[in-house]
Amino acid sequence: ATTNNITLNLMDVDVVNLMKQVSVEHADKFEQMGLQLRWNVPEEKIILKLDNQKTYRIFENLFVNIQKYAMPNSRVYIDVEKPEGNVTITMRNMSAVELNVRGDELTERFVRGDASRNTEGSGLGLAIVKSFVGLQGGSFHIETEADLFKAEIRWALPGEETVKQEA
């Protein structure tokens, strides 16, 4: 993705429906871990011109990140809002370990939230999310505070020129 040698196949994508489809594929693992998904999403469809496969991979990587690093027997909050011509997707969870790294560092290639982690994975998941969101005209931001992990994706709604950043 960093080479910009990727072709986007843009189509109408219902981001809430796609996100729920991806979450269903992880439902068994979430249940084993005692993770409860708390959805706060609009009733109506939110249709954006996106690449369905790349967007699927974005959500897949975020859910895999949650299942790898979330504190067992906790809640995962998924919010979708439409402030000021944007769609904002926020995923929040408690990490099983305290996060001693800045959020922006977690989107760099091969960086992991805790140097002591020795589980499988390349450290590329969030870097891929950032690349694929950016290629599709959006922004991706991570915040960490102690053991709280918050990932935010922002895309402009159709008819809006650019993604508006919150102050």
Side-chain angles (χ1 to χ4, degrees), residues 97-101 106 112-118:
V97 297
E98 187 173 343
L99 294 167
N100 296 314
V101 62
L106 288 172
R112 303 173 90 176
D114 179 352
S116 69
R117 288 180 179 166
N118 56 8

